[in-house]
Amino acid sequence: MQRRGMTTMSTGKAIADHLKYWTRGTPVGQFVSMAVPSNGAYGIAKGVFYSFPVQINKHGDIKVVTDLKVDEFSREMIDNSYIELQTEAKEALSIAELL
């Protein structure tokens, strides 16, 4: 039971953090990770919801940070995560009989 409560707290904290940045913006020069529709950055197909580094202004406008250096390890992790996301999407659509 203790573990379940901690997971719930972590989820609640993540939601609260997202809402805080979305409504107040990120501090100048800083970014957070947020799942947003891709604009093609980092090799992720346009329109796919993916966790990107983003900056948010005080009006809630979200901009993907695209000038970060991606080393070989990070590129591999991004690619693997994207492949896993595509696989899960196909499985979900298959289960829902939409594919």
Side-chain angles (χ1 to χ4, degrees):
M1 186 67 173
Q2 180 68 20
R3 178 106 173 118
R4 188 168 146 191
M6 293 198 53
T7 301
T8 302
M9 288 299 292
S10 296
T11 302
K13 172 90 167 83
I15 292 168
D17 286 345
H18 268 66
L19 290 173
K20 176 179 78 173
Y21 292 124
W22 203 3
T23 58
R24 298 181 188 169
T26 51
V28 174
Q30 294 185 23
F31 61 86
V32 295
S33 294
M34 190 174 285
V36 297
S38 176
N39 61 5
Y42 299 100
I44 306 302
K46 286 185 178 183
V48 172
F49 276 77
Y50 194 85
S51 183
F52 289 101
V54 299
Q55 292 177 321
I56 307 166
N57 68 20
K58 65 182 180 180
H59 304 292
D61 300 316
I62 299 171
K63 177 184 172 204
V64 174
V65 177
T66 58
D67 60 351
L68 298 178
K69 182 181 181 210
V70 178
D71 62 19
E72 187 177 325
F73 174 77
S74 297
R75 176 81 264 157
E76 185 178 339
M77 294 296 101
I78 290 168
D79 292 345
N80 289 342
S81 180
Y82 183 48
I83 290 167
E84 183 178 345
L85 182 63
Q86 289 175 310
T87 300
E88 290 173 353
K90 286 178 184 174
E91 289 174 2
L93 291 172
S94 177
I95 289 169
E97 298 178 359
L98 297 174
L99 191 65

